[in-house]
Amino acid sequence: MPSPHPGELARRVIRKVRATLGFAPPPKPKPKSAPEPVLDLREDPIGPERPLPDVQYVYIVGGLPRHFAGRTASILTKTRLFYEKYGTESVIVTAVPSAELDDLSHAWRERGALAPGVRLVSLLDYYPDATVHDGPPIEYPLEEPGLRWIKEVDQPVYRFFDERGVYRLWKRYDYAGRMILRDRWNENRIRISREEFRLDGTLRRISYVDPVNNYPRESIYYANDGTPQLNHWSMLNSNGVNLDTFRVVYFDADGQPVRNPVDPNAWTPVLHTCLDELIGDRPTFLTNEDRFIDDIVLSYRRPNVKKVLVIHNAHINPPYADIHSIRPAYQPCLSREKDSDAVVFLTRTQRAEAEAHVGRRDTFRVVPHPARTPHLKPGIERDRKLAIMMSRLDAQKQLDHAIAAFALVLKSVPDARLEIYGNGPLVEPTLQAQIERLGVGDRVKLMGYTRDPAAAYQRAGMSLLTSRFEGAPLTLQESLMHGCPVISYDLRYGPADILTDGENGCLVKYGDVKAMAAKIVEVMQDPALHQRLVDASALSAEDFTEPVFLRRWSTLFHELADAGWDGPDGRTDADGAHG
């Protein structure tokens, strides 16, 4: 056996002597940790109710999903309220080209989700184009030579197969029977291209798709007369999710390409040009609702434009414990103070934690989501042993935690039920497999999308929230408005700002499935506790009513308008935009 190191031998002798003399062993040093910051949970002033300033209101997002959830729902609600209360018209613009916006507008107006004074537009449609389509609208028949089709049950989507049964083509038509999208596939069921069409049938864009990651590697944009305008090359960035520009090639009026060098910033001036065409010279509030286009908005400086950034999700990295660990996508909006006029958070806690990292900012404001005061339907009896969830089916929502917790609940409350409402085809099979593996299929149901969440909230004894992170979950306010108490993880952000544990709902240690199950059992088995939670739920939502929401936004917009229109950094030189 080798001899101990001299230093170790000395330490052994010292320990033996101390023990012989009766000395206690020296305490182990405690790891140093940063002190918890003192959070400034201040309230913003709310001015009197008055109409919004008479300026232009533009809301920009990355994309608009057909089956929308929290963020898109909040934008539609905000613009609808502004129109209904003040007659204020708005434009919702997507920075991602979309041939579906007219179809979406039609569907959402029929549902009452899109107000008459609100337009959906695609930013790239405002790229300057002096040409016109000289001729009647182009029609595309459904039939394709040599191909046979089947139709989706609930939408005008058609899949085409060749004589050998190989999948070859996909088409989407709109409400008026016009083809708006066409995808082509190879023998390996890999999408190779997507064509997008204008309402007159002309080709607006064709994208050639990466065979592995299914993103557009090369997109060609066409003028009204069919000549190419832009060729945009993309590649996945280091996070493997978002796209970066690699090169942009312009075409002249004759369709002649103009070679441009490799430039990751080349797409920004294109979108700024489109914003110029969309906004013009009228004073405008440009509100960005999407972190992945922050740089486009933050670098856009015009003397007639005020920029407002709305944060819809947690800005810190997993596991959402260190307030100084900022997610990369949120770095620009928090750090570039002079490039925006206001940054709006949904909760006071999130703003306070952001300020604990970057310092107090007068431009940081809080405007919580509103929830419409419901007209409760008579005769619906609340079932104390029914829990519900309103959620998209994706990893952020951690629905697997709720299902695992409910499997434990059923051991104590065998007649309990859990209904999960929402869509998410990439996650649904995994959740269903978990339900079957746990043997709870008769008590836990994936209900799909519902157009009547109010009825579900009225029937339910409680709603559950198990997300990894949020900005401020709209479903929480909606649940309380319907007198349906919430049992939630104490997650960042939202629940702790709205729920008072044991009064209008319950907060459970983040990620603790067993604690979640125990709290559900406690409320289900205690009728008096459950009734107290129900009675307090509607009262707790008073600060999140639509009138208060309107006053908060009106106050902010008037403050910004009263400050003048010289831009956030005091410059009036519009040509300084691209730096």
Side-chain angles (χ1 to χ4, degrees), residues 69-117:
R71 182 183 66 186
T72 303
S74 73
I75 300 169
L76 294 176
T77 297
K78 178 164 49 184
T79 54
R80 174 183 57 79
L81 291 175
F82 290 170
Y83 181 76
E84 291 177 350
K85 181 66 176 179
Y86 307 120
T88 300
E89 297 185 348
S90 303
V91 178
I92 301 174
V93 55
T94 169
V96 178
S98 176
E100 300 184 67
L101 294 185
D102 185 68
D103 197 42
L104 288 180
S105 297
H106 179 267
W108 293 354
R109 289 198 201 283
E110 283 196 332
R111 290 169 49 184
L114 187 65

Side-chain angles (χ1 to χ4, degrees), residues 100-137:
E100 300 184 67
L101 294 185
D102 185 68
D103 197 42
L104 288 180
S105 297
H106 179 267
W108 293 354
R109 289 198 201 283
E110 283 196 332
R111 290 169 49 184
L114 187 65
V118 181
R119 293 186 296 129
L120 306 183
V121 302
S122 178
L123 185 57
L124 267 298
D125 286 350
Y126 286 84
Y127 191 77
D129 180 10
T131 71
V132 295
H133 168 59
D134 186 14

Side-chain angles (χ1 to χ4, degrees), residues 381-395:
E381 186 174 347
R382 195 173 297 282
D383 183 349
R384 188 176 74 252
K385 296 183 180 179
L386 170 62
I388 66 169
M389 302 184 78
M390 296 282 175
S391 172
R392 351 180 261 284
L393 309 188
D394 69 19

Side-chain angles (χ1 to χ4, degrees), residues 407-473:
L408 299 176
V409 169
L410 291 169
K411 295 179 180 180
S412 300
V413 189
D415 56 342
R417 292 178 294 131
L418 172 62
E419 295 177 353
I420 300 174
Y421 294 87
N423 284 331
L426 296 180
V427 180
E428 186 170 351
T430 303
L431 296 177
Q432 189 60 49
Q434 180 190 15
I435 291 170
E436 294 172 1
R437 184 175 67 254
L438 294 174
V440 295
D442 58 335
R443 290 289 160 185
V444 178
K445 302 290 186 182
L446 300 178
M447 307 296 290
Y449 180 79
T450 177
R451 297 195 177 189
D452 190 12
Y457 283 128
Q458 277 193 251
R459 289 190 300 110
M462 65 194 69
S463 67
L464 310 180
L465 185 63
T466 54
S467 300
R468 296 171 63 209
F469 62 90
E470 294 282 355

Side-chain angles (χ1 to χ4, degrees), residues 49 107 114 158 212 266 300 315 490 499 525 548:
E49 181 179 329
L114 187 65
Y158 299 82
V212 176
Y300 183 72
H315 63 279
D490 189 5
L499 299 178
Q525 291 184 334
V548 174

Side-chain angles (χ1 to χ4, degrees), residues 47 62 112 128 135 282 378 387 425:
R282 185 180 175 189

Side-chain angles (χ1 to χ4, degrees), residues 222-239:
Y222 294 91
N224 289 301
D225 66 355
T227 57
Q229 289 183 303
L230 300 165
N231 185 312
H232 183 205
W233 296 7
S234 304
M235 60 182 179
L236 283 178
N237 69 12
S238 57
N239 67 17

